[in-house]
Amino acid sequence: MSTHDPAGPAGQPAPDPASDSSSAGRTKPPKKGSLLKELPVLLVIAFVLALLVKTFLVQAFFIPSGSMEQTLHGCTGCTGDRVLVNKVPYWFGEPEPGDVVVFRGPDTWAPEITVAEPTNWFAGALLTLGRTIGLAPPSEDDFVKRVIATAGQTVECCDPEGRVTVDGEPLDEPYIYQDTPIETRGFPAVTVPEGRLWVMGDHRSASADSKAHMGDQYAGTVAVDDVIGKAALIVWPLDRMGTIGSPEIQAQQASAAGVPVQGGAAVAVPYLLGVAGALPVTAWRRRRGARAAGPSRRPPRTGWRRIRRPVHTRPSRESLPG
């Protein structure tokens, strides 16, 4: 009887199939990236997204003065409201009478508040971040008022009942808080130029608005292009959380056509853009996760099984016992 050493073609020991199968099933998992390495990238992405949202969609503002009481709190000693300003409505149209808007005031408008300018880049970055999320006072050039009249309309005060009129019709203004005395309330007629707005504060006796700037080159009006957005929602303090209304203060608004486009489209666009932006990111993360996981790893087989020897290692028939 001849014996054969089960060796490979080059005289090396034959590989153990069982060990091969078990080692194939124990592939090393891919190394996970360090959180500390990914954190700066995540912060940069978050900052870029916040900047894009602030530029095109919504922006938070801190109300620092009492010129819009009681609609918006900013009185001395009270907690100033934090509001979200929606920029989408004015993609499809211009501000309408009754809208509460945030805008950059003309050069002739004196600031209603005084903000200390930062002395170094770090303090400046913190101030910018605070303004982005509505925790810091806005720029001295930023104002919040209510639109009273738009281009081509003639605004004046007052009718026999002391009301502001637009094109001869009195306004319905239930939001007015502490109006100025009747003897000092009046102002002559002003026709709003093209591309400009006449704005006033709800707290008429404490608001330096269009009426207070009638002597400048713009007759007190502000440019539509300087409007940052529409004040839409109070987000802080929690007990005042709610929407900011835009009542139809002019009688002709009720019969105006084409205005509803601002409502439905303005509400839908931020969500559509959010979905459109989230889908590519989600797909990329899923693809990346699939690549990192590697091929499917089956658990190694256990138990006995028949192993066929290579042909050259099998004993010949002549060598078998007779």
Side-chain angles (χ1 to χ4, degrees), residues 22 36 119 137 139 144 157 163 174-175 177 183 187 217 255 302 322:
S22 62
L36 294 179
T119 57
S139 170
V144 55
C157 187
R163 296 173 296 184
Y175 45 75
Y177 175 68
E183 59 271 12
F187 57 88
Q217 58 181 318
S255 58
T302 58

Side-chain angles (χ1 to χ4, degrees), residues 60-111:
F61 271 89
F62 171 78
I63 305 301
S65 72
S67 66
M68 284 296 293
E69 294 284 349
Q70 294 280 341
T71 304
L72 299 176
H73 282 357
C75 57
T76 303
C78 66
T79 301
D81 288 342
R82 273 72 169 175
V83 301
L84 288 184
V85 174
N86 189 358
K87 302 184 178 185
V88 177
Y90 303 142
W91 292 4
F92 307 97
E94 295 185 351
E96 296 289 336
D99 290 355
V100 177
V101 297
V102 175
F103 60 93
R104 289 177 291 272
D107 297 337
T108 54
W109 286 42

Side-chain angles (χ1 to χ4, degrees), residues 165-190:
T165 65
V166 173
D167 294 337
E169 296 292 332
L171 301 182
D172 181 15
E173 300 185 278
Y175 45 75
I176 290 180
Y177 175 68
Q178 292 184 355
D179 206 344
T180 53
I182 188 67
E183 59 271 12
T184 60
R185 193 178 305 174
F187 57 88
V190 174

Side-chain angles (χ1 to χ4, degrees), residues 163-257:
R163 296 173 296 184
V164 175
T165 65
V166 173
D167 294 337
E169 296 292 332
L171 301 182
D172 181 15
E173 300 185 278
Y175 45 75
I176 290 180
Y177 175 68
Q178 292 184 355
D179 206 344
T180 53
I182 188 67
E183 59 271 12
T184 60
R185 193 178 305 174
F187 57 88
V190 174
T191 299
V192 181
E194 189 68 28
R196 304 192 72 84
L197 305 167
W198 180 274
V199 296
M200 301 183 76
D202 291 357
H203 190 180
R204 294 288 161 84
S205 62
S207 176
D209 46 33
S210 290
K211 176 189 172 184
H213 298 88
M214 292 182 63
D216 65 17
Q217 58 181 318
Y218 310 108
T221 61
V222 300
V224 172
D225 292 340
D226 287 336
V227 173
I228 298 172
K230 179 179 180 179
L233 182 69
I234 300 174
V235 295
W236 189 265
L238 294 179
D239 59 351
R240 283 183 46 78
M241 181 178 292
T243 58
I244 302 172
S246 298
E248 295 178 349
I249 62 176
Q250 296 182 12
Q252 57 265 39
Q253 282 183 273
S255 58

Side-chain angles (χ1 to χ4, degrees), residues 126-181:
L126 290 179
L127 180 61
T128 301
L129 179 61
R131 287 173 176 170
T132 300
I133 60 179
L135 294 180
S139 170
E140 293 181 352
D141 297 332
D142 293 339
F143 296 82
V144 55
K145 306 292 179 188
R146 191 181 297 271
V147 177
I148 301 299
T150 57
Q153 295 184 324
T154 299
V155 57
E156 63 180 319
C157 187
C158 304
D159 72 348
E161 298 183 22
R163 296 173 296 184
V164 175
T165 65
V166 173
D167 294 337
E169 296 292 332
L171 301 182
D172 181 15
E173 300 185 278
Y175 45 75
I176 290 180
Y177 175 68
Q178 292 184 355
D179 206 344
T180 53

